[in-house]
Amino acid sequence: MKLVTLNIDGMRCSMCESHVNDLIRKVDGTKKIKSSHLSNTSTFVIDDESKINDIIDSIEKDGYKVTDKKVEDYKEKGLFNIFKK
């Protein structure tokens, strides 16, 4: 799993955040989605890294501009995850 952070120009309000979240949520394998118009970022966890460009295309088709992308390994945190190998 990967933690993705996108810098997005064009988000002006909380409705823009919600709209971007909905676009990301449409792609299977995404979770923990959070967007902020104040920091112009959207972060989410994705199972399949190859789908990131599909998400970027979808966001840009709706009039926003993705200016940067950061992809990191993601490990689930929590009590029950200490038992996973």
Side-chain angles (χ1 to χ4, degrees):
M1 293 192 342
K2 299 293 184 179
L3 175 65
V4 181
T5 302
L6 300 177
N7 289 352
I8 303 173
D9 283 343
M11 289 192 295
R12 304 283 182 242
C13 64
S14 60
M15 289 301 295
C16 293
E17 295 170 355
S18 180
H19 184 71
V20 169
N21 289 346
D22 289 343
L23 291 170
I24 296 168
R25 202 171 281 117
K26 287 180 182 179
V27 176
D28 289 336
T30 57
K31 60 183 180 178
K32 299 185 184 250
I33 303 162
K34 183 176 181 195
S35 297
S36 169
H37 73 280
L38 297 175
S39 64
N40 293 320
T41 60
S42 183
T43 59
F44 56 93
V45 175
I46 192 164
D47 293 333
D48 184 357
E49 190 174 352
S50 69
K51 295 181 181 179
I52 296 171
N53 286 333
D54 294 339
I55 292 171
I56 292 172
D57 290 343
S58 176
I59 290 169
E60 290 189 337
K61 282 181 186 173
D62 273 27
Y64 303 99
K65 178 70 179 159
V66 177
T67 59
D68 193 28
K69 168 180 76 173
K70 181 179 176 184
V71 180
E72 308 172 74
D73 287 331
Y74 177 79
K75 297 224 183 214
E76 195 83 33
K77 295 179 183 174
L79 176 62
F80 295 105
N81 292 322
I82 63 172
F83 301 108
K84 291 183 181 179
K85 292 188 176 188

